[in-house]
């Protein structure tokens, strides 16, 4: 799965606390310091974990290839991988697929993107909300992957959230961290912590609204609540209940 973002897009991230993270997690943690994003590349089938120098090289090669297509620096490319651990990622196959993905980019590709990141999931997961910043509407939408090992910290899951709001990276990080604490980090399935857990929030800045200060503040209250609701919905959809599989779990926001 490949996503391209408008110039000036800011990014926030929360990652696994596992002491042996995969190469994509290491890459994203380093890239997050810049606070800017232009591309996201996600692959399923191989987690690029416990692969040493080969894994780091695969992550870098993927970022280099994506950056060349989008026209940005490698540190503005974010990566995630999910799947089998302990096997070297055949990154040549991945990078060879990127040009066709880039040529086929379109704004209504969320459903295909949600399916593209699935592994053992039994259904794609997605959500969208409309929030207000200073009286102006902004949209927050995202997709998620995960179907087990959801404890003690987001385990074996990937989640990518996007908003058209214009938000400084510092304020965006505060919004995401609060949303994760009340959703993915408060769920348990089998007490394991994955090596690949990643949640990234991207703000493209395409919406028109009052300027948001670096500290965020009251202007982001509604957006923060919407982000939390999205993450809570995904958490509840992992419940092993027929009702949750049919629609949103009844314990989430009444909005459907």
């Amino acid at each position: 799965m490949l996503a391209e973002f408008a110039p000036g897009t800011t990014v926030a991230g929360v990652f696994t606390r596992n002491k042996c993270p995969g190469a994509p997690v290491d890459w994203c943690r380093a890239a997050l310091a810049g606070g800017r994003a232009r591309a996201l590349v996600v692959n399923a089938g191989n987690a690029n974990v416990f692969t040493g120098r080969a894994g780091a090289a695969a992550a870098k090669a993927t970022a280099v290839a994506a950056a060349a297509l989008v026209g940005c620096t490698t540190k503005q490319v974010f990566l995630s991988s999910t799947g089998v651990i302990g096997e070297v990622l055949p990154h040549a196959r991945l990078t060879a697929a990127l040009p066709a993905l880039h040529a086929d980019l379109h704004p209504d590709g969320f459903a295909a993107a949600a399916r593209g990141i699935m592994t053992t999931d039994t259904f794609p997961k997605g959500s969208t909300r409309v929030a207000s910043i200073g009286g102006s509407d902004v949209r927050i939408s995202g997709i998620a992957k995960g179907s087990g090992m959801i404890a003690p910290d987001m385990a074996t899951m990937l989640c990518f959230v996007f908003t058209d709001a214009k938000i400084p990276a510092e304020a965006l990080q505060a919004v995401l961290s609060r949303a994760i604490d009340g959703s993915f980090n408060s769920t348990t399935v089998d007490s394991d912590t994955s090596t690949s857990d990643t949640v990234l929030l991207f703000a493209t800045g395409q919406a028109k609204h009052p300027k948001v200060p670096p500290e965020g503040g009251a202007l982001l209250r509604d957006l923060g609540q919407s982000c939390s609701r999205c993450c809570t919905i995904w958490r509840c959809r992992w419940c092993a209940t027929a009702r949750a599989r049919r629609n949103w779990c009844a314990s989430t926001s009444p909005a459907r």
Side-chain angles (χ1 to χ4, degrees):
M1 188 275 280
L2 171 66
E4 180 178 354
F5 308 114
T9 294
T10 54
V11 58
V14 177
F15 308 96
T16 181
R17 298 176 190 176
N18 191 293
K19 294 182 179 179
C20 300
V25 171
D26 288 336
W27 179 273
C28 285
R29 279 177 169 153
L32 198 63
R36 300 283 179 172
R38 289 294 313 282
L40 168 67
V41 180
V42 186
N43 74 275
N46 185 311
N48 196 8
V49 171
F50 299 138
T51 48
R53 292 180 180 177
K60 182 176 181 179
T62 303
V64 168
L69 288 170
V70 174
C72 67
T73 68
T74 57
K75 293 304 182 182
Q76 292 178 315
V77 176
F78 286 77
L79 310 172
S80 284
S81 298
T82 179
V84 177
I85 68 172
E87 295 184 6
V88 175
L89 176 69
H91 61 83
R93 292 174 56 190
L94 196 161
T95 55
L98 291 180
L101 288 176
H102 187 258
D104 195 40
L105 286 174
H106 48 92
D108 57 350
F110 273 89
R115 291 189 177 277
I117 65 174
M118 291 169 58
T119 50
T120 57
D121 306 70
T122 57
F123 54 88
K125 303 173 181 71
S127 183
T128 188
R129 287 286 184 274
V130 174
S132 175
I133 297 181
S136 299
D137 286 346
V138 298
R139 185 170 294 277
I140 183 165
S141 303
I143 57 176
K145 169 268 165 186
S147 60
M149 288 173 55
I150 314 201
D153 294 309
M154 308 188 300
T156 197
M157 56 136 316
L158 305 178
C159 178
F160 310 105
V161 188
F162 316 91
T163 178
D164 55 2
K166 186 177 181 63
I167 306 174
E170 180 181 351
L172 196 66
Q173 185 64 53
V175 167
L176 180 61
S177 295
R178 283 194 294 268
I180 298 307
D181 285 345
S183 57
F184 296 127
N185 277 352
S186 63
T187 307
T188 224
V189 172
D190 64 6
S191 340
D192 293 325
T193 300
S194 171
T195 53
S196 302
D197 306 330
T198 297
V199 180
L200 294 170
L201 172 58
F202 302 91
T204 66
Q206 302 304 291
K208 303 296 184 182
H209 57 74
K211 184 177 181 180
V212 176
E215 65 275 13
L219 273 176
L220 294 184
R221 182 176 294 116
D222 192 47
L223 181 79
Q225 291 174 349
S226 294
C227 185
S228 295
R229 290 189 186 108
C230 281
C231 293
T232 303
I233 282 172
W234 286 318
R235 178 193 70 180
C236 290
R237 290 193 75 191
W238 279 318
C239 298
T241 67
R243 179 173 59 185
R245 291 183 184 277
R246 285 198 306 269
N247 207 323
W248 307 130
C249 179
S251 65
T252 66
S253 166
R256 293 291 194 265

